[in-house]
Amino acid sequence: GLSYTWTFNNDTLSLRDDGRRFVSQETGNLYLAKVEPWDVGNYTCVVSNGEAQQSAWGPPTPLTLRSDGVMGEYEPKIEVHFPEVTYAAKGSAVRLECFALGK
């Protein structure tokens, strides 16, 4: 099966002993609670298939703090959406995309 990790500024995001951040191994979503100034930076989704011993990296998604403190209609959330089953021929390239939604 697939496993999901995230990098923060090109380093693996450590979730150990961190009650504010969580990566769903079902959806790949990264959740951040109570964003702090030190959370600002680039987040990148990494999808791995242990059986195939391969990984795919999404594009970096920057997180910035608004200077006015107003969040607007949507709270920030980084999501990953994949079809339940993806078929590919052996040796072919497969692209899995990550994206961010928020204001």
Side-chain angles (χ1 to χ4, degrees), residues 2-103:
L2 299 177
S3 64
Y4 305 95
T5 56
W6 286 80
T7 67
F8 175 62
N9 295 331
N10 296 320
D11 291 322
T12 300
L13 185 63
S14 175
L15 302 176
R16 199 171 171 176
D17 302 324
D18 188 343
R20 293 186 318 110
R21 298 180 289 192
F22 170 75
V23 175
S24 168
Q25 290 304 308
E26 185 173 319
T27 64
N29 292 354
L30 168 64
Y31 298 93
L32 285 91
K34 300 180 183 175
V35 174
E36 299 288 348
W38 52 84
D39 293 321
V40 168
N42 288 311
Y43 291 83
T44 304
C45 177
V46 182
V47 183
S48 302
N49 181 324
E51 189 174 312
Q53 297 182 350
Q54 292 187 343
S55 297
W57 291 57
T61 302
L63 175 67
T64 58
L65 293 181
R66 291 183 61 135
S67 59
D68 60 10
V70 177
M71 286 312 303
E73 187 177 341
Y74 302 103
E75 294 183 10
K77 181 168 73 171
I78 298 176
E79 298 184 33
V80 179
H81 292 280
F82 297 106
E84 198 166 305
V85 176
T86 301
Y87 296 96
K90 184 176 181 180
S92 67
V94 175
R95 180 177 174 175
L96 306 176
E97 294 186 0
C98 300
F99 66 95
L101 170 67
K103 274 194 167 220

